[in-house]
């Protein structure tokens, strides 16, 4: 344990050669224990740093007396392990005492149980009993590892495995303590940090963790900030890691792209993913996220090219199946898309993205019960997946169950407090439940945080209309029109005609003929309001001919696109909403 504790100390990046040595060393040690992903992560990071001269390369780990005794059994078992013959590997490792061989023995037993569980899961994928399939080996492993842990005989890798077993048994608190201990004993093992990430649900929880002061902590914090949707902090961390000397790291570049995807900065994320593909053209990781971006932008040729390209590299990878699923979904072939997401889940039943995307496809096919099932599985895998909570909300909305909707939309909103889509959905829910004050707060907050779909103000205006608050409704419509014209998206928005129609009638009631006729003329440019616009213009002309003068009591704005300005609001302002209690 002393040797392990010596690795990865100190949180500064001044000695990159030392960091490179540590990464190469832990990559080798991870591979010896069959921890392929941790080995790959360390290798990728080491590759981003300058090569070391021969004299500075780390020496192979020193062998103990126990290692020498177990060497033959270990070498044989490792070859079986690499061929995924886990029971066979465990059989030949019985009675081994060295740390490395003991870890491989326990890990083989764990993976054997997981493999059997996954095989059963695949056979019953879809029906309700899927959740009941358990890894039978877990309880025995926990008992044995617990004894070793009490006797303080577990090294960093052993502690990591003990933590994984506890997490699988849903003993979250104990698992967190063990992963923190594993990070202290062996700070360079990325697997332990990653497992810890999956168990931390909010920033408060993070504050109370006593983490080792090592440079690895910076990578962990950047990753957890991305997971907790604290994107600004995450991007700052990744930028500081790039400045520290990891500018060539494809891992960091991909994480930055994912971070931009999470805040819906689609153009930035796309350009980073394209750059990443140039640097690492055969990469499959994160390509499903890239395909989500291409899907949102409806970039069919690019998505088709990506799907074909990944198919050539490896058609039986979950990411490839998800990309092909997205491609068929974009072509509105939803049955085919769902088939590929199912294939992804047969390859890895714990793959979060596929569950969520499959839920979306079932929604498109109007199969609400299957959609609910899929979203629930996504939440089982990761409670922080706001898309699954939001999807459940939408499903229950279709089923006309607003109280259920409200619960799920609230959960989505808690995970994405500054996402206007969640707030608009919450507002609609409150409206259906006739809680209009809450609905107003939600729409106002959605507008305040930056309304992605430009619908919050219209919905707020219609609420004011319902409540006969005409001045407030008018102000909302004016602001809405200003926003739409400033974006240059006039043609896309059907509600613009609604806004002009309401304002024309509002000004007409206020006897402001110039403003009313200007709005009525705008109504004439839209098919659905043309006749009403013409009728109103005739009425105004008639009243003017009768000598009716325009009212001067209310100084209303003249706000057509040519004269849009920031202070174009009626003199009577909307009563300010109490935003202190906006978060439902």
């Amino acid at each position: 344990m002393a040797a392990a504790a010596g690795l990865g100390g100190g949180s500064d990046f001044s000695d990159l050669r030392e960091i490179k040595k540590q990464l190469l060393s832990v990559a080798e040690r991870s591979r010896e224990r069959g921890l392929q992903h941790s080995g790959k992560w360390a290798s990728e990071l080491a590759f981003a740093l300058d090569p070391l001269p021969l004299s500075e390369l780390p020496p192979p780990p020193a062998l103990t007396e126990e290692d020498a005794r177990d060497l033959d059994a270990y070498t044989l078992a490792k070859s079986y392990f690499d061929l995924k013959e886990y029971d066979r590997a465990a059989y030949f490792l019985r009675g081994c005492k060295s740390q490395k061989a003991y870890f491989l023995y326990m890990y083989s037993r764990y993976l054997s149980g997981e493999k059997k569980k996954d095989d059963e899961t695949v056979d019953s994928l879809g029906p309700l009993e899927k959740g009941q399939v358990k890894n039978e080996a877990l309880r025995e492993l926990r008992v044995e590892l617990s004894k070793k842990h009490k006797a303080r005989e577990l090294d960093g890798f052993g502690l990591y495995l003990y933590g994984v077993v506890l997490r699988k048994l849903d003993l979250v608190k104990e698992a967190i303590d063990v992963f923190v201990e594993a990070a202290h004993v062996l700070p360079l093992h990325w697997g332990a940090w990653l497992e810890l990430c999956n168990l931390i649900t909010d920033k408060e929880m993070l504050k109370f963790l006593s983490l080792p002061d090592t440079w690895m902590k910076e990578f962990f914090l950047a990753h957890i900030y991305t997971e907790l949707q604290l994107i600004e902090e995450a991007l700052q961390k990744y930028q500081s890691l790039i400045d520290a000397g990891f500018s060539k790291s494809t891992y960091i570049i991909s994480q930055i792209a994912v971070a931009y995807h999470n805040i819906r900065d689609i153009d930035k994320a796309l350009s980073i993913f394209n750059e990443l593909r140039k640097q690492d053209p055969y990469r499959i990781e994160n390509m499903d996220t890239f395909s989500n971006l291409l899907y949102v932008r409806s970039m069919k040729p690019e998505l088709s090219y990506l799907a074909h390209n990944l198919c050539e590299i490896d058609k039986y990878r979950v990411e490839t199946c998800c990309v092909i699923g997205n491609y068929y979904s974009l072509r509105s072939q939803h049955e085919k898309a769902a088939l590929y997401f199912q294939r992804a889940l047969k390859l890895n039943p714990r793959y979060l993205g596929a569950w969520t995307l499959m839920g979306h496809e079932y929604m498109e096919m109007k199969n609400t019960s299957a959609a609910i099932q899929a979203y629930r599985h996504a939440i089982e895998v990761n409670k922080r997946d706001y898309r699954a909570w939001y999807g459940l909300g939408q499903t229950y909305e279709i089923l006309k169950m607003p109280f259920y909707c409200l619960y799920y939309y609230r959960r989505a909103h808690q995970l994405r407090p500054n996402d206007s889509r969640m707030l608009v959905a919450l507002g609609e829910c409150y409206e259906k439940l006739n809680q209009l004050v809450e609905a107003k707060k939600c729409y106002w907050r959605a507008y305040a945080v930056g309304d992605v779909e430009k619908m919050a103000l219209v919905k707020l205006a219609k609420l004011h209309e319902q409540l006969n608050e005409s001045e407030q409704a008018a102000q909302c419509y004016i602001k809405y029109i200003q926003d739409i014209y400033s974006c240059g998206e006039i043609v896309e928005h059907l509600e613009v005609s609604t806004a002009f129609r309401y304002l024309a009638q509002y000004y007409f009631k206020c006897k402001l003929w110039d403003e009313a006729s200007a709005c009525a003329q705008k109504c004439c440019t839209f098919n659905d309001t043309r006749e009403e616009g013409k009728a109103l213009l005739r009425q105004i002309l008639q009243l003017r001919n009768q000598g009716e003068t325009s009212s001067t009591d209310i100084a209303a704005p003249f706000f057509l696109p040519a004269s849009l300005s920031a202070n174009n609001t009626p003199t009577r302002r909307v009563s300010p909403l109490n935003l202190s209690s906006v978060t439902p």
Side-chain angles (χ1 to χ4, degrees):
M1 270 171 81
L7 281 170
S11 60
D12 79 282
F13 291 89
S14 55
D15 191 352
L16 287 178
R17 291 165 97 90
E18 185 53 39
I19 287 173
K20 171 115 178 179
K21 277 189 217 174
Q22 293 171 356
L23 285 167
L24 290 172
S25 170
V26 83
E28 184 53 38
R29 292 177 66 193
S30 298
R31 275 194 296 274
E32 285 177 348
R33 288 160 178 80
L35 295 164
Q36 310 293 0
H37 289 286
S38 293
K40 186 185 80 165
W41 185 85
S43 305
E44 280 187 344
L45 221 51
F47 184 75
L49 299 173
D50 295 333
L52 294 172
L54 181 62
S55 59
E56 289 188 34
L57 288 174
L63 289 177
T64 63
E65 198 62 49
E66 285 175 336
D67 285 326
R69 269 202 303 274
D70 295 341
L71 188 62
D72 289 352
Y74 165 79
T75 309
L76 177 66
K78 182 69 169 71
S79 64
Y80 293 146
F81 181 94
D82 291 341
L83 291 166
K84 295 187 167 55
E85 296 184 46
Y86 302 124
D87 289 328
R88 202 174 176 194
Y91 177 79
F92 285 99
L93 286 166
R94 288 165 310 145
C96 286
K97 294 282 185 286
S98 65
Q99 291 278 21
K100 189 163 66 176
Y102 178 73
F103 175 85
L104 196 64
Y105 168 61
M106 298 302 271
Y107 193 41
S108 297
R109 287 170 62 192
Y110 165 75
L111 286 179
S112 164
E114 284 295 292
K115 189 168 183 291
K116 285 166 190 160
K117 185 186 90 168
D118 286 351
D119 291 347
E120 277 185 58
T121 302
V122 165
D123 296 338
S124 68
L125 187 64
L128 280 163
E129 71 264 17
K130 202 205 120 293
Q132 270 84 60
V133 185
K134 294 276 186 284
N135 178 346
E136 299 300 334
L138 290 176
R139 295 190 186 285
E140 288 174 33
L141 290 171
R142 184 197 168 196
V143 171
E144 292 173 44
L145 286 166
S146 170
K147 282 178 192 163
K148 286 266 188 186
H149 183 233
K150 278 177 187 146
R152 307 198 67 74
E153 288 174 14
L154 292 176
D155 65 355
F157 291 111
L159 286 165
Y160 158 75
L161 182 58
Y162 183 35
V164 170
V165 169
L166 290 170
R167 178 176 69 78
K168 288 279 180 182
L169 290 167
D170 291 327
L171 300 165
V172 175
K173 193 175 177 305
E174 294 91 326
I176 289 174
D177 293 341
V178 172
F179 285 130
V180 169
E181 192 183 337
H184 276 279
V185 172
L186 183 61
L188 284 170
H189 180 217
W190 179 240
W193 292 102
L194 210 50
E195 286 289 344
L196 199 51
C197 265
N198 295 332
L199 297 177
I200 293 168
T201 49
D202 53 43
K203 206 173 178 180
E204 287 305 305
M205 221 167 148
L206 192 58
K207 279 180 194 164
F208 292 111
L209 291 183
S210 142
L211 298 168
D213 185 25
T214 151
W215 58 267
M216 283 288 283
K217 185 180 171 183
E218 298 302 301
F219 282 93
F220 164 74
L221 288 174
H223 189 90
I224 190 71
Y225 287 154
T226 310
E227 288 289 304
L228 295 174
Q229 305 294 336
L230 303 165
I231 304 298
E232 271 183 46
E233 290 95 321
L235 289 170
Q236 279 169 10
K237 284 277 178 207
Y238 283 126
Q239 191 53 53
S240 66
L241 288 169
I242 285 174
D243 296 341
F246 288 97
S247 57
K248 293 181 194 158
S249 166
T250 50
Y251 164 75
I252 292 177
I253 295 167
S254 68
Q255 286 296 103
I256 291 171
V258 168
Y260 279 118
H261 162 267
N262 287 0
I263 49 168
R264 295 178 71 78
D265 190 339
I266 294 169
D267 295 328
K268 189 97 175 159
L270 281 171
S271 73
I272 296 170
F273 269 122
N274 284 321
E275 187 54 43
L276 180 64
R277 297 253 305 152
K278 281 179 199 160
Q279 284 186 36
D280 193 355
Y282 293 93
R283 182 191 183 92
I284 293 183
E285 279 163 291
N286 309 110
M287 287 302 117
D288 49 339
T289 306
F290 183 33
S291 77
N292 291 343
L293 294 162
L294 296 173
Y295 179 93
V296 170
R297 277 273 185 269
S298 300
M299 296 165 85
K300 260 187 207 168
E302 291 86 345
L303 190 49
S304 169
Y305 175 75
L306 181 67
H308 281 100
N309 186 232
L310 294 187
C311 233
E312 280 171 22
I313 299 167
D314 186 352
K315 66 158 79 167
Y316 297 112
R317 273 281 291 271
V318 279
E319 293 91 344
T320 305
C321 293
C322 284
V323 171
I324 297 169
N326 269 339
Y327 170 67
Y328 281 122
S329 182
L330 189 57
R331 293 184 57 177
S332 299
Q333 292 174 262
H334 300 297
E335 286 85 356
K336 230 170 181 180
L339 200 67
Y340 273 95
F341 295 134
Q342 279 175 342
R343 184 181 286 183
L345 291 163
K346 285 190 175 184
L347 293 166
N348 180 359
R350 287 176 300 284
Y351 194 69
L352 172 69
W355 281 119
T356 310
L357 292 168
M358 196 156 80
H360 296 344
E361 292 314 306
Y362 283 135
M363 284 278 283
E364 291 289 345
M365 293 190 278
K366 308 280 186 287
N367 186 347
T368 46
S369 61
I372 288 170
Q373 200 72 44
Y375 289 135
R376 286 199 191 288
H377 284 314
I379 288 163
E380 270 173 39
V381 177
N382 182 356
K383 285 190 166 58
R384 288 195 304 260
D385 182 27
Y386 76 92
R387 294 168 309 166
W389 291 109
Y390 184 64
L392 277 169
Q394 287 180 309
T395 317
Y396 282 109
E397 200 170 332
I398 289 169
L399 295 171
K400 297 192 167 41
M401 297 166 82
F403 282 105
Y404 278 87
C405 265
L406 192 60
Y407 171 74
Y408 291 116
Y409 283 143
R410 268 182 178 164
R411 292 297 297 259
H413 169 61
Q414 281 160 7
L415 292 164
R416 301 268 291 190
N418 292 330
D419 193 323
S420 61
R421 293 166 304 162
M422 315 298 144
L423 283 156
V424 169
L426 261 178
E428 287 171 347
C429 250
Y430 280 124
E431 226 178 306
K432 282 175 188 144
L433 295 167
N434 214 26
Q435 297 182 26
L436 301 185
V437 176
E438 294 299 321
K440 277 202 274 190
K441 285 179 190 172
C442 289
Y443 293 142
W444 188 257
R445 174 99 178 113
Y447 170 65
V449 297
D451 185 15
V452 180
E453 289 162 341
K454 300 265 184 286
M455 287 306 293
L457 281 172
V458 173
K459 290 183 181 297
L460 188 56
K462 285 179 178 173
L463 261 188
H464 284 308
E465 261 188 82
Q466 245 179 292
L467 298 166
N468 295 323
E469 297 166 348
S470 52
E471 285 89 355
Q472 286 96 319
Q475 189 191 348
C476 289
Y477 278 131
I478 288 168
K479 194 78 195 109
Y480 168 68
I481 288 170
Q482 288 175 344
D483 283 2
I484 295 299
Y485 277 107
S486 65
C487 297
E489 291 180 25
I490 310 143
V491 189
E492 298 295 318
H493 281 262
L494 302 170
E495 297 292 348
V496 174
S497 57
T498 312
F500 277 121
R501 177 171 56 198
Y502 180 82
L503 287 167
Q505 288 164 353
Y506 170 72
Y507 289 133
F508 183 77
K509 281 175 198 158
C510 296
K511 299 189 177 182
L512 296 158
W513 312 134
D514 291 345
E515 288 79 2
S517 65
C519 290
Q521 277 164 1
K522 292 304 284 182
C523 287
C524 294
T525 61
F526 299 97
N527 290 334
D528 55 336
T529 53
R530 185 169 292 140
E531 294 311 313
E532 286 174 71
K534 284 178 183 173
L536 202 62
L537 283 169
R538 281 196 295 272
Q539 272 181 283
I540 293 166
L541 192 63
Q542 208 176 339
L543 288 166
R544 276 184 163 159
N545 290 341
Q546 287 170 11
E548 282 268 0
T549 54
S550 187
S551 169
T552 52
D553 299 344
I554 307 168
F558 187 77
F559 60 90
L560 284 175
S563 58
L564 281 180
S565 68
N567 54 2
N568 282 336
T569 48
T571 47
R572 275 181 64 185
R573 290 182 158 278
V574 176
S575 53
L577 291 163
N578 175 13
L579 294 183
S580 59
S581 59
V582 154
T583 307

